[in-house]
Amino acid sequence: MIELFVRLIRRPQGLVGVTLLALIAIACLFGPALAPYAPEKIDFLGRFRPPGWQNWLGADQFGRDILSRLMVGARSTVPMALIATFVGSAAGAIIGVGSAYLGGRTDEAIMRTNDAVMAIPGLLLALLLVSTLGNGAGNAVIAIAVAFAPGMARVTRSVALNVRNQDYVKAAIARGEGAVWIIFREMLPNVMAPIVIESTIRVSFAVMLFATLSFLGVGAQPPASEWGLMVADARQYMYQAPWGLIMPSTAIALTAIAFNLVGDGLRDALNPKDER
Amino acid sequence: MSLAWFARRLLLMVYTVIVVSMLVFAITQVLPADAAQSLLGENATPEMLAALRAKLGLGAPAWQQYLHWAGRVFTGDFGISMRTSQPVGPEMLSALSRSLLLAASSILVTLVVAVPLGVVAALRQGRLADTGVSLIAYLGVSLPEFVTATLLALLLADTLHWLPATGYVSPLEHFGDGISHLALPVLTISVILIAHVMRMMRSETLDVLKSDYIRAARLKGLPERTVLFRHALRNALLPVVTIIALDVGYLLGGIIVIEEIFAIPGIGRALMVAITARDLPSIQAGALIMAATYAVTNTLADMAYAALDPRIRYD
């Protein structure tokens, strides 16, 4: 574990990713305590104040401090993406391993259906689900989790097919272990590494998808200072105060880049031979 | 490409469309406890509710409702829009045609830009050009469409005034005006697609250049240009067909946001309008048409791939 971490941060991409992730984690944990202003504090004299010593990243149309809103908003953005990815990956992993375990025609049927579900673009599936379940951050998380599951199922299954043919799985079948035991105790632990890598990269998609749903008005609801929502708000005033738009956009991009870098770094650290 | 494989692939496409239609129907009409109530909102009178329930056939069991709906859809009848009282089908299909124009132009721009860049990055592996290209690719995939779209609009429309910010003019009627209105959305979609295709092209070219037959071609004394263009690129280009087909799925999702931002009356925007207005027949038609479009493009790409690469033998 420690050796893996050292290998991860030895490359500049990995180091940048880990550093960014640490900063994001700090913002999520201590954001409200560290923020210079209250996120809802309205200051009519400071409307559209450009970045400077009073408001480091500028102020929005109500004179609210953008840095403070970003730091507090980290909580309503990043953990949501993490939960959605975790639930979606777990569901997908179980479907994938289960399908590989069952094998044969059942596997074929499950995977064909899975592929069919993947024909619905993720954003479209998420939008349909949210429009049925009702707008809100919680439902957006459920929708993203559902939209992620088929992709994870496909990735997991391709790895699990190899595991299925290993001697220890055959031994477990010969011992007469039940399907649930074999799937959860024998197969799942041995496909964890690729799942973790894939999930890490997917968090960046989840961050973007969640922000997009909020941007479209069906995810996090005002007055939350969710980043996608901040971009949607700032669009009206983008000519007067482009920083209102650029700062939350940068926050989203940096978060996505951080998870991408760490995911790619983990993959490289686990397969040192692959030069790409 | 055997006939059996061909038939199997078509069957798979039909299966995909059926599964998708079931899922779309289940999410929109079966999952809500009372679809009529959620469609009309809290202010609906009991008479209105009863009328809508009868219209949607909500009294019947779910599978009967589905078969009834699917039967109508199969004959091209998607129902009447609850918002405009017009037939949904023709409206959605003409919206789709505008979206396809947007998608096709984006793919064209992507190919023209991404393929050469990917090859250059591969040839200069590890050097400045490669790092620069990889960095841009990273940025491209790390920005959500709505951010890329708004930033590009801020720069090219609001600050530099080069392009109109929103709206749609048919290029068939006013070519110049139509193109300039398409430019921003196409640019936004291309930024993301270019990142994908470029990364793919780079790693494929690297792989092919390491292969034995390229070594053989070089040892034979062929000039590097011939090796690259006649031997390497032909094989490196093949997977681009697949990645483009996969990106169409992404494209159809991303198009929802892009059309919303740039006010393009395509299928994505039509779907957003339908979702906001809770126009059930339009939501179902829009979602189904989008997913079916993806299923068809994917099948076509698979067939094109099999036809282009005689080494691939599917059973």
Side-chain angles (χ1 to χ4, degrees):
Chain A
M1 203 61 196
I2 293 170
E3 189 204 353
L4 185 69
F5 185 73
V6 170
R7 242 189 291 169
L8 175 64
I9 58 171
R10 205 158 46 195
R11 299 184 54 180
Q13 296 98 312
L15 187 62
V16 172
V18 170
T19 314
L20 281 174
L21 274 196
L23 288 175
I24 293 161
I26 291 171
C28 288
L29 290 172
F30 311 110
L34 292 174
Y37 298 92
E40 305 305 328
K41 187 173 166 287
I42 292 172
D43 172 9
F44 277 108
L45 290 175
R47 293 181 71 205
F48 302 125
R49 189 180 280 143
W53 61 272
Q54 261 183 313
N55 305 102
W56 289 2
L57 300 184
D60 68 2
Q61 69 271 27
F62 297 116
R64 295 177 297 190
D65 181 47
I66 289 175
L67 176 64
S68 305
R69 288 179 67 69
L70 282 180
M71 290 176 78
V72 176
R75 272 190 184 186
S76 33
T77 312
V78 181
M80 296 299 169
L82 283 174
I83 297 170
T85 313
F86 180 78
V87 175
S89 303
I94 292 171
I95 296 172
V97 174
S99 183
Y101 166 76
L102 292 169
R105 286 190 176 277
T106 324
D107 175 43
E108 175 96 4
I110 294 176
M111 285 334 279
R112 290 306 177 205
T113 310
N114 190 68
D115 284 358
V117 176
M118 282 175 75
I120 308 182
L123 180 61
L124 174 59
L125 186 54
L127 265 176
L128 284 180
L129 280 166
V130 176
S131 76
T132 295
L133 299 171
N135 299 348
N139 289 336
V141 168
I142 297 175
I144 295 174
V146 174
F148 272 13
M152 279 313 289
R154 187 191 249 178
V155 171
T156 313
R157 182 229 177 210
S158 65
V159 188
L161 277 182
N162 292 326
V163 174
R164 176 73 173 78
N165 291 325
Q166 297 293 320
D167 286 339
Y168 55 82
V169 175
K170 287 181 186 152
I173 295 171
R175 282 206 302 277
E177 302 282 7
V180 174
W181 172 276
I182 294 174
I183 290 173
F184 282 90
R185 295 302 300 271
E186 303 283 350
M187 290 176 74
L188 259 183
N190 289 296
V191 295
M192 276 320 271
I195 294 179
V196 169
I197 294 170
E198 184 70 21
S199 308
T200 315
I201 297 174
R202 259 160 209 269
V203 176
S204 70
F205 290 106
V207 169
M208 294 195 267
L209 201 51
F210 186 74
T212 304
L213 289 175
S214 300
F215 175 82
L216 291 172
V218 300
Q221 300 294 313
S225 56
E226 199 279 330
W227 297 344
L229 211 54
M230 285 177 73
V231 176
D233 273 352
R235 271 186 74 217
Q236 266 179 287
Y237 311 100
M238 68 179 185
Y239 199 54
Q240 290 124 299
W243 47 90
L245 193 76
I246 292 167
M247 301 307 171
S249 305
T250 312
I252 296 168
L254 284 180
T255 311
I257 289 173
F259 282 104
N260 260 329
L261 285 175
V262 171
D264 284 354
L266 276 177
R267 179 163 43 199
D268 290 347
L270 282 172
N271 312 306
K273 266 177 259 165
D274 193 3
E275 286 163 31
R276 278 185 290 162
Chain B
M1 186 161 56
S2 65
L3 203 65
W5 177 80
F6 193 80
R8 210 177 112 84
R9 196 65 195 79
L10 277 181
L11 216 66
L12 210 59
M13 185 182 88
V14 173
Y15 180 68
T16 302
V17 174
I18 292 174
V19 170
V20 166
S21 73
M22 282 177 164
L23 201 63
V24 166
F25 190 80
I27 294 174
T28 51
Q29 196 157 329
V30 182
L31 197 60
D34 185 351
Q37 183 81 55
S38 71
L39 287 173
L40 292 175
E42 284 162 16
N43 299 326
T45 61
E47 294 80 48
M48 285 161 72
L49 285 174
L52 183 62
R53 280 196 196 106
K55 196 169 146 200
L56 295 173
L58 289 180
W63 64 270
Q64 272 183 14
Q65 290 181 42
Y66 171 74
L67 284 184
H68 184 68
W69 174 74
R72 279 194 299 115
V73 165
F74 190 69
T75 59
D77 174 14
F78 283 95
I80 303 291
S81 163
M82 292 160 63
R83 192 174 57 89
T84 60
S85 304
Q86 297 289 317
V88 171
E91 210 175 321
M92 281 293 168
L93 286 178
S94 73
L96 178 69
S97 72
R98 291 186 279 267
S99 295
L100 287 181
L101 176 68
L102 182 60
S105 330
S106 308
I107 289 178
L108 193 69
V109 172
T110 302
L111 286 179
V112 170
V113 178
V115 170
L117 277 183
V119 175
V120 168
L123 291 178
R124 320 208 122 245
Q125 192 192 3
R127 290 197 245 167
L128 195 65
D130 180 30
T131 318
V133 163
S134 303
L135 208 69
I136 295 168
Y138 235 99
L139 264 179
V141 292
S142 302
L143 287 171
E145 303 83 33
F146 73 92
V147 169
T148 319
T150 338
L151 292 180
L152 282 177
L154 179 68
L155 180 70
L156 295 176
D158 283 334
T159 312
L160 297 172
H161 300 286
W162 285 357
L163 295 166
T166 57
Y168 176 82
V169 175
S170 168
L172 291 178
E173 286 159 26
H174 296 276
F175 188 75
D177 220 18
I179 296 294
S180 73
H181 276 89
L182 268 182
L184 264 180
V186 165
L187 205 60
T188 311
I189 300 174
S190 306
V191 167
I192 297 150
L193 292 188
I194 285 171
H196 284 179
V197 176
M198 202 160 63
R199 281 172 102 168
M200 177 83 182
M201 196 64 212
R202 175 180 178 272
S203 70
E204 277 306 320
T205 312
L206 280 180
D207 268 3
V208 171
L209 285 179
K210 277 187 205 137
S211 64
D212 285 341
Y213 81 93
I214 292 295
R215 236 183 100 209
R218 280 187 180 142
L219 289 175
K220 206 158 69 172
L222 288 179
E224 193 58 30
R225 248 184 47 200
T226 318
V227 173
L228 186 63
F229 286 98
R230 297 267 323 246
H231 297 258
L233 282 192
R234 281 191 175 190
N235 275 314
L237 270 170
L238 272 176
V240 172
V241 177
T242 318
I243 198 102
I244 289 281
L246 288 176
D247 271 340
V248 169
Y250 150 76
L251 238 170
L252 289 167
I255 235 165
I256 300 176
V257 184
I258 301 215
E259 291 179 349
E260 182 72 10
I261 291 177
F262 293 114
I264 292 171
I267 193 154
R269 186 138 201 265
L271 194 74
M272 267 321 279
V273 171
I275 285 176
T276 319
R278 301 190 163 280
D279 180 359
L280 195 60
S282 301
I283 299 176
Q284 290 168 339
L288 187 58
I289 291 175
M290 281 174 92
T293 309
Y294 178 52
V296 172
T297 11
N298 229 339
T299 309
L300 289 178
D302 263 15
M303 289 174 177
Y305 195 83
L308 285 173
D309 192 346
R311 287 171 308 180
I312 292 178
R313 280 276 157 264
Y314 298 98
D315 40 27

